[in-house]
Amino acid sequence: EVKSIVVFEVVKNKLYYFIDWLGYTPADRTWEPTENLNNAKELVANFIIDIRISQVLVRILRLVELVVKRRE
């Protein structure tokens, strides 16, 4: 059972979540693709809503900066 989602990562255009498992230690966390989390759909949805908007915005701003620099 999923305790929480720690973070996400996109690898080769595929979304993965770093999962903290209920009853296990942090050393037992695993990267799981979305399709492996069918029993935790609500938790995934809540995580997506609560992703830490500031981190997403920082990533977007960094990408925009890169695009602008490349166009100069």
Side-chain angles (χ1 to χ4, degrees):
E1 181 179 346
V2 176
K3 178 180 175 184
S4 65
I5 300 171
V6 179
V7 70
F8 74 98
E9 188 69 43
V10 178
V11 178
K12 296 182 181 178
N13 293 322
K14 192 169 183 179
L15 187 59
Y16 289 84
Y17 296 95
F18 196 49
I19 302 299
D20 190 13
W21 298 100
L22 188 62
Y24 292 88
T25 68
D28 296 315
R29 291 174 176 164
T30 59
W31 285 100
E32 300 293 335
T34 306
E35 61 266 19
N36 287 0
L37 300 174
N38 288 330
N39 292 333
K41 287 182 180 180
E42 185 175 341
L43 190 60
V44 170
N46 289 337
F47 178 78
I48 291 169
I49 292 167
D50 192 39
I51 280 180
R52 299 182 184 113
I53 293 171
S54 63
Q55 288 182 345
V56 173
L57 290 175
V58 167
R59 287 182 178 188
I60 291 170
L61 289 173
R62 287 180 182 161
L63 287 172
V64 168
E65 286 176 359
L66 287 172
V67 168
V68 168
K69 285 180 183 178
R70 287 181 181 169
R71 288 185 178 179
E72 293 177 345

